[in-house]
Amino acid sequence: MKKLVIQGLLVIGSFFVLWYVTSLLDWMRIFRVEQVSQKAEDKLGELYWDFFSKTGKVITNDDVVIPLDSIMGRICTSNNIDRQSIQLHVLDTPEVNAFALPGRHIVVYSGLLLKVNDESQLAGVLAHELAHQEEGHIMKRLVKEVGISVLLSAAGSNNGQVIGETAKMLSSTAYDRSLEKKADILAVDYMVAADVNPIPFADFIGGLSTDANVSKYLSWISTHPGEEERMDYLKEYCKFKNVKTRQIVSIASWENMISMLHENKVADK
């Protein structure tokens, strides 16, 4: 009996010694989890963008790209976000859509550029997607829906089937209510810091509720919360913001971009 007690104490003692030793080790550093995770996300981003780049013509025309870059640049600079880390793409596709991908890719469809009324509304869309990027919502969503093992396998083996099956989820399905609202609110903060009026963005979201052709495509449009509800809480939040508006894109440049898109004159120069 005494022998069993001693053995039991030794087992318990060994457990606590092992626990203490392992608690001192920096497992994140030893296994380089953070680096591997970022590397996998970057690879997934490349795979997803490769998939979407084949669904429409990639627009690289300066008359379209430069205005978007200017707006994104103002938002990033004003909010201490590394603009060089954001990969902004424009696709010549009639769908009214914009969405974020892993690896800090943001995709904007020409249909959305033709839908917004001014640079403030476009800035709101870009800020919203940027907020999803900054808060890590894209990977959280993928892990939740697909599972980390499947994602790591896809990144490691260039599994086009997994990418194809999950791509539509990223481009046409809204995030859950809490993440969507967080991105909305953070987008307003980004815009205010960048001296962009956020009210037009709220109006843009509210106006989408009556357009069935938009709501079935746009990745951040959902009935939970509904567009009108989102417009209301955004406008309520904006009441407490002191906004100093500074124009980013000249009226001439904006009108030229829209005219070229309408006339489908976006071939490379």
Side-chain angles (χ1 to χ4, degrees), residues 77-188:
T77 301
S78 303
N79 290 280
N80 298 315
I81 297 171
D82 180 11
R83 170 64 185 90
Q84 298 304 313
S85 70
I86 307 298
Q87 303 186 63
L88 184 59
H89 311 283
V90 185
L91 281 180
D92 187 16
T93 304
E95 295 175 9
V96 180
N97 207 353
F99 49 90
L101 301 174
R104 301 180 74 75
H105 293 264
I106 293 178
V107 182
V108 180
Y109 285 173
S110 59
L112 183 133
L113 298 178
L114 293 172
K115 185 68 177 178
V116 295
N117 293 325
D118 53 40
E119 67 176 27
S120 295
Q121 292 186 346
L122 178 56
V125 173
L126 295 178
H128 179 95
E129 298 304 333
L130 188 60
H132 280 313
Q133 291 280 12
E134 290 299 297
E135 294 299 307
H137 293 170
I138 300 94
M139 288 304 295
K140 289 178 182 176
R141 181 182 182 190
L142 281 171
V143 169
K144 178 181 178 181
E145 298 294 334
V146 181
I148 192 168
S149 60
V150 175
L151 291 173
L152 291 175
S153 176
S157 60
N158 294 349
N159 192 325
Q161 182 177 353
V162 172
I163 298 301
E165 290 175 350
T166 56
K168 187 175 182 180
M169 177 187 69
L170 291 176
S171 66
S172 62
T173 309
Y175 293 82
D176 67 44
R177 186 188 187 99
S178 62
L179 296 185
E180 213 62 86
K181 185 171 184 177
K182 189 168 187 177
D184 281 341
I185 296 300
L186 192 53
V188 170

Side-chain angles (χ1 to χ4, degrees), residues 60-72 249 253 257:
T60 58
N61 186 289
D62 287 347
D63 292 316
V64 176
V65 172
I66 289 178
L68 267 72
D69 278 340
S70 299
I71 296 171
M72 180 63 81
V249 180
S253 295
M257 177 185 74

Side-chain angles (χ1 to χ4, degrees), residues 79 120-121 123-124 127 186-198 201:
N79 290 280
S120 295
Q121 292 186 346
L186 192 53
V188 170
D189 290 339
Y190 286 165
M191 295 175 73
V192 171
D195 295 333
V196 178
N197 184 5
F201 173 54

Side-chain angles (χ1 to χ4, degrees), residues 167 180 204 219:
E180 213 62 86
F204 178 65
S219 60

Side-chain angles (χ1 to χ4, degrees), residues 190-257:
Y190 286 165
M191 295 175 73
V192 171
D195 295 333
V196 178
N197 184 5
I199 295 295
F201 173 54
D203 290 332
F204 178 65
I205 289 180
L208 295 175
S209 61
T210 59
D211 193 332
N213 292 323
V214 173
S215 61
K216 70 178 181 180
Y217 292 125
L218 196 55
S219 60
W220 35 272
I221 292 301
S222 170
T223 54
H224 304 289
E227 292 82 51
E228 291 185 2
E229 179 186 342
R230 291 172 69 183
M231 178 182 67
D232 290 341
Y233 69 58
L234 280 173
K235 286 191 172 182
E236 183 66 26
Y237 186 66
C238 290
K239 287 181 180 179
F240 304 98
K241 301 294 180 180
N242 183 21
V243 184
K244 298 178 180 179
T245 303
R246 288 188 296 132
Q247 189 170 335
I248 304 174
V249 180
S250 70
I251 294 176
S253 295
W254 180 268
E255 291 180 346
N256 182 53
M257 177 185 74

